[in-house]
């Protein structure tokens, strides 16, 4: 089953972040809690972890993208 991960809310006053680094790769197996990508707000950098384990089948973001809370980011096969 495929599951599309969405950008979580990273702060009370933050509705959009910039993608700084993508650590997941297509075909890679990830485990719950593993960092998928790193985002930057105007105040800090935040690591976004996998909410559950699976295999990365699609990456819907790129480094430098502005991404809003709730936007699709990755697709995992679970």
């Amino acid at each position: 089953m495929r599951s599309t991960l969405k950008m979580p809310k990273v702060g009370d006053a933050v509705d959009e972040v910039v993608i700084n680094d993508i650590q997941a790769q297509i075909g890679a197996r990830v485990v719950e809690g593993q960092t998928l990508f790193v985002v930057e707000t105007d105040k800090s950098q935040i690591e976004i972890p996998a909410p559950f384990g699976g295999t990365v089948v699609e990456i819907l973001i790129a480094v430098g993208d502005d991404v809003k809370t709730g936007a699709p980011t990755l697709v995992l096969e679970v």
Side-chain angles (χ1 to χ4, degrees):
M1 180 175 85
R2 289 185 177 200
S3 183
T4 301
L5 304 183
K6 298 187 180 195
M7 177 60 68
K9 187 150 183 76
V10 297
D12 291 338
V14 179
D15 288 324
E16 188 171 78
V17 296
V18 177
I19 303 300
N20 237 14
D21 182 36
I22 299 173
Q23 296 183 5
Q25 297 179 6
I26 292 177
R29 175 97 177 118
V30 296
V31 296
E32 182 177 346
Q34 181 178 340
T35 300
L36 298 174
F37 51 93
V38 180
V39 299
E40 183 178 330
T41 68
D42 45 334
K43 295 183 180 180
S44 64
Q45 289 192 3
I46 301 163
E47 293 181 350
I48 305 299
F52 48 82
T55 301
V56 179
V57 293
E58 195 172 353
I59 299 174
L60 307 171
I61 54 175
V63 172
D65 284 357
D66 293 322
V67 180
K68 294 184 185 239
T69 299
T73 58
L74 300 172
V75 178
L76 289 183
E77 181 78 38
V78 291

